[in-house]
């Protein structure tokens, strides 16, 4: 079966910290899946510099490859956790969500990452409720570790570029001097009858 292209509108922003403008460990990826679904991964590797960027590249490749196997988000996190355990002294926060365009739902799993928000057409914004697991690399690689849990939620978003700018200005009023690199990814999901579905 051929994989459908990702037709979801997206908007993204990346801000590098002013005090330490070197490369950081933030990444995101958008992965087309079968059945009108799209996988989305956002992660933050602690640290900065070339070593952090190199490990981040490995994390992005691993998360992309795992997502393409169509494993559930919670299982993807478990496998990424084992991958990070093989890397010395690494700590990673990550969120993986799968947007289903046919059911207008989002399945998501968080590993120590900031929550995902949804903005319905009639507002206001709300946080998608899901358990937040420990960051990747914290579990004992030889023990059972804390399980990662996923949740299924409806999610909405429209006017992605304007919303991205508004979020950045609201959450980071002093954009000229961020303390850390910042990555924002917005995904739009159309719903029937011409209404906007935003994730």
């Amino acid at each position: 079966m051929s994989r459908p292209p990702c037709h979801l509108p997206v908007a993204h922003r990346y801000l590098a910290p002013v005090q330490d403008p070197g490369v950081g460990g933030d990444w995101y990826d958008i992965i087309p899946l079968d059945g009108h679904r799209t996988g989305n991964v956002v992660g933050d590797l602690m640290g900065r510099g070339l070593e952090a960027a190199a490990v981040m590249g490995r994390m992005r490749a691993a998360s992309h490859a795992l997502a393409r196997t169509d494993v559930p988000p919670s299982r993807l996190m478990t496998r990424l956790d084992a991958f990070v355990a093989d890397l010395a002294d690494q700590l990673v926060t990550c969120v993986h969500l799968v947007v289903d365009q046919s059911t207008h739902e989002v399945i998501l799993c968080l590993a120590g990452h900031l929550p995902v928000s949804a903005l319905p057409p009639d507002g206001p914004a709300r946080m998608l409720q899901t358990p937040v697991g420990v960051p990747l690399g914290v579990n004992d690689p030889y023990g059972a570790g804390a399980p990662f849990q996923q949740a299924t939620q409806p999610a909405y978003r429209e006017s992605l570029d304007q919303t991205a700018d508004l979020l950045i200005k609201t959450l980071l009023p002093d954009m000229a001097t961020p303390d850390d690199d910042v990555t924002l990814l917005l995904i739009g999901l159309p719903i029937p009858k011409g209404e906007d579905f935003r994730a």
Side-chain angles (χ1 to χ4, degrees):
M1 174 184 282
S2 62
R3 294 189 181 275
C6 175
H7 295 295
L8 297 177
V10 299
H12 57 88
R13 301 290 184 270
Y14 177 80
L15 301 175
V18 172
Q19 294 182 348
D20 184 8
V23 291
D26 286 12
W27 87 91
Y28 72 91
D29 201 1
I30 303 170
I31 307 112
L33 303 172
D34 292 331
H36 303 289
R37 293 172 305 122
T38 304
N40 306 271
V41 180
V42 178
D44 184 6
L45 175 83
M46 302 304 159
R48 301 194 58 73
L50 293 178
E51 181 181 354
V55 175
M56 179 271 290
R58 295 174 64 188
M59 288 296 304
R60 185 179 186 275
S63 62
H64 185 96
L66 286 170
R68 290 297 293 263
T69 66
D70 212 9
V71 297
S74 58
R75 186 168 298 174
L76 180 139
M77 287 299 183
T78 300
R79 293 181 180 176
L80 277 182
D81 189 48
F83 179 81
V84 174
D86 289 336
L87 306 174
D89 301 321
Q90 297 296 334
L91 185 66
V92 181
T93 65
C94 189
V95 56
H96 174 52
L97 55 96
V98 175
V99 177
D100 190 324
Q101 292 173 258
S102 60
T103 63
H104 312 294
E105 291 180 327
V106 172
I107 304 171
L108 66 160
C109 183
L110 280 73
H113 206 73
L114 296 173
V116 176
S117 63
L119 181 61
D122 55 355
R126 65 182 176 86
M127 297 297 180
L128 297 182
Q129 298 300 313
T130 186
V132 180
V134 298
L136 304 176
V138 171
N139 278 326
D140 177 3
Y142 303 105
F148 295 100
Q149 300 179 45
Q150 65 186 39
T152 301
Q153 298 282 335
Y156 311 84
R157 192 167 298 284
E158 66 182 6
S159 306
L160 295 182
D161 280 311
Q162 294 177 357
T163 302
D165 290 336
L166 177 63
L167 283 173
I168 290 292
K169 291 176 183 176
T170 302
L171 298 175
L172 300 169
D174 189 7
M175 292 188 296
T177 58
D179 294 330
D180 193 7
D181 49 345
V182 177
T183 299
L184 173 68
L185 175 63
L186 306 181
I187 306 131
L189 180 59
I191 59 174
K193 300 179 182 177
E195 299 178 42
D196 286 330
F197 195 86
R198 304 172 286 175

